[in-house]
Structures are given as C-alpha cells and as structure tokens.
Amino acid sequence: MSAASPAALPLSPGRRAAKLFFRTPSGVAGLVLVVLIIACALLAAYISPYDPVQYLPADRMQGPSVRHWLGTDLYGRDLLSRVIYGSRISLSVSVLSVSLALAVGGLLGALSGYYLGWVDTLIMRLTDVLLAFPAILLAIALLAFLGGGFWNLTVAIAVAYTAPFARVVRAAVLRSRSAMFVEASNALGASDRRLLWRHVLPNSAGPVLVEITLRLAYAILGEAALSFLGLGTQPPAPAWGQMIADGRPFLETNAWISIAPGLAIMLTVLGFNLLGDALRDALDPRLAR
C-alpha cells in the first residue's frame, strides 16, 4: 500500500488552530491592530514628529492640520506624538500587570486545582474575597493607600486581576488532571511537580491564552480610567486617560484633544478583544472537530 500523501495527513493541533484562526476575518483584523499598536510603542522615538512633552505656546489649541495631524493641546504639545508615546505607557502597564497577575493567580489556581482539599478551599475563599470587589474599585482603594505612579498602578491592576486568573487556571487544571496520560504518568511514578509542570499546565494553556488577551484589554481600560482620575502615571507623561481628562474642559470647542486618545484606547481594546475571540474559537476542540 502506498504511503498517504502529505495532503491527506491530519493536521497537528497547533496547525489546525492556526488554520482556524486565519480563517476568521475578525481575528486577523484584531491581530493587525495589535501588531500596529505594538509597533507604534516600540518605534515611538522614530515615528513621532515632535517631542511629546515639548511645550509650543505659539501652537496651542490648534486643530488637525498638515503640521499637526491630530492637532495640539492646551500647551501646544503635538497630540499625535503624545498618542504614539502614550501607547508605551498603556501597553507597559497592561503587559506588566497581566504578567504579574498571571504569575500569582496562575500559581494559586494550579495548586488549587491539582491538590484540591483544604488547599483548594483556602485559595478559592481568598479569590472569593477579591472577586467580591469590582476590579476598578479595588484598584482605586489600593492606589489610595499606595499613591499614584507607574509601578503602583501596575501592582493595583495586577491585584485586581489575580483572582480571575486563579479561577481560569484552576478550571483548566481540573480538566487536565483527570486525563488518561496524566493518570498513566502518575502510575509510572512521576512526581507531583513533574505532572503539574510537564503535563497538566501545558495542556491547560488554551483557556489561559484566551484569558490573557482579554485581560490585556481590560488592563488597558483600567489604566486609562485610573489615569483619567489622576491616579495613574503623573503629568507630563502622555497617558491616554490623562489626555482625555486634560481635554474634558474643551469638549464643546476643541473636542479633538479628547477624541484622539479616546480613539487610540478604542482601537487597542478592540484589537485585543477580536484577537481573544478568534483565539477562543480556534482553540475550541469542538470547532476543531
């Protein structure tokens, strides 16, 4: 019997998920938006036409023009440059806070879902306490105690999102720990550490990856809201939320001051949401079948 042709061979789970993802127009659009925002953040020093904190009194409160594509603010600072540099702050805060929340919440969720018993009860009651508070109110309370600033903002958002990560990782570990290959490895004498880190957690990565993309979007919204309230990165740093707050007194006459950073927030959050939805569909085994 002749060997099966390459086209007839079944696709690996990774290639199947990638094929499903790139068949989703909204997912590709979200990926493009996210890549563009990341590129703007990384290349801000090269593509920004002006210094984002440079005061130009002669150009204050100008509308969009050839010289200033998005106009200028009350102090004559170029809004396009500030929006571009603002992507650095938003992405840095969101990535760092979500990474910290994933590290702490993921560890707690993995221990809870794998060992069960009193460990599970203790960790889940702790997450219940954190989930009893709306994320934004919990972050505001922490910042009222810690004070504003980049790092305090990052820690506050991370604490607010630790409990959701613990819940997601716990649910994923509960599904994986009863799989046949885990039971077989356990029967062969594999240690708990090896079972957890080499078998259970890698096979729980799908739901966690989707949660990461969605939490990044929430973190960007949280950073913008806290900066709008004056609890985030302090002026003259070009934070998107702070820029919206600066333009609030001029909404009737010079709305572009708030519209420009508002559009940046909308497009960034939309990109991460579309990306997360497409990843969820691509990694769903029911759709794969």
Side-chain angles (χ1 to χ4, degrees):
M1 181 180 295
S2 60
S5 63
L9 295 176
L11 294 175
S12 64
R15 292 183 61 187
R16 185 186 302 115
K19 186 176 181 180
L20 286 173
F21 175 84
F22 286 105
R23 281 183 176 178
T24 309
S26 60
V28 175
L31 179 62
V32 170
L33 283 174
V34 170
V35 169
L36 287 177
I37 296 298
I38 294 175
C40 286
L42 294 176
L43 303 175
Y46 303 99
I47 62 178
S48 296
Y50 296 93
D51 186 335
V53 298
Q54 181 182 6
Y55 292 87
L56 300 172
D59 294 341
R60 60 187 302 272
M61 304 297 283
Q62 290 188 6
S65 63
V66 175
R67 184 178 179 187
H68 301 284
W69 288 8
L70 296 180
T72 58
D73 64 5
L74 177 63
Y75 303 102
R77 296 173 297 193
D78 181 68
L79 286 176
L80 176 60
S81 300
R82 289 181 64 78
V83 167
I84 292 174
Y85 270 91
S87 64
R88 284 186 169 183
I89 295 177
S90 288
L91 289 179
S92 297
V93 170
S94 61
V95 170
L96 288 174
S97 61
V98 169
S99 299
L100 182 58
L102 175 62
V104 178
L107 177 61
L108 293 176
L111 295 176
S112 176
Y114 186 78
Y115 288 107
L116 299 177
W118 68 267
V119 175
D120 180 40
T121 301
L122 177 63
I123 293 175
M124 286 301 101
R125 296 300 75 77
L126 176 62
T127 60
D128 288 341
V129 172
L130 292 176
L131 290 173
F133 299 92
I136 189 67
L137 292 182
L138 180 59
I140 290 174
L142 289 172
L143 287 173
F145 175 74
L146 298 173
F150 179 88
W151 291 108
N152 290 343
L153 177 63
T154 300
V155 171
I157 295 176
V159 172
Y161 292 147
T162 296
F165 271 115
R167 288 283 189 176
V168 170
V169 173
R170 175 181 179 271
V173 169
L174 284 175
R175 282 196 301 268
S176 299
R177 72 188 298 272
S178 59
M180 292 295 295
F181 64 88
V182 175
E183 294 182 359
S185 298
N186 189 25
L188 292 174
S191 64
D192 288 346
R193 180 179 178 182
R194 181 178 179 84
L195 286 173
L196 187 60
W197 294 105
R198 295 292 299 273
H199 299 289
V200 175
L201 287 180
N203 286 278
S204 307
V208 177
L209 181 60
V210 174
E211 184 70 11
I212 289 172
T213 59
L214 296 179
R215 289 295 161 185
L216 284 171
Y218 296 152
I220 290 172
L221 286 175
E223 185 275 333
L226 294 169
S227 295
F228 180 84
L229 296 174
L231 298 173
T233 306
Q234 300 302 304
W240 288 341
Q242 182 62 46
M243 293 171 64
I244 295 176
D246 291 341
R248 185 176 52 176
F250 312 104
L251 285 176
E252 294 184 359
T253 57
N254 307 101
W256 64 82
I257 300 176
S258 295
I259 289 176
L263 286 175
I265 295 171
M266 183 198 73
L267 292 175
T268 305
V269 172
L270 176 64
F272 278 110
N273 280 334
L274 292 177
L275 181 61
D277 289 342
L279 283 175
R280 179 197 60 203
D281 295 340
L283 296 173
D284 191 334
R286 293 170 298 178
L287 294 180
R289 284 197 295 267

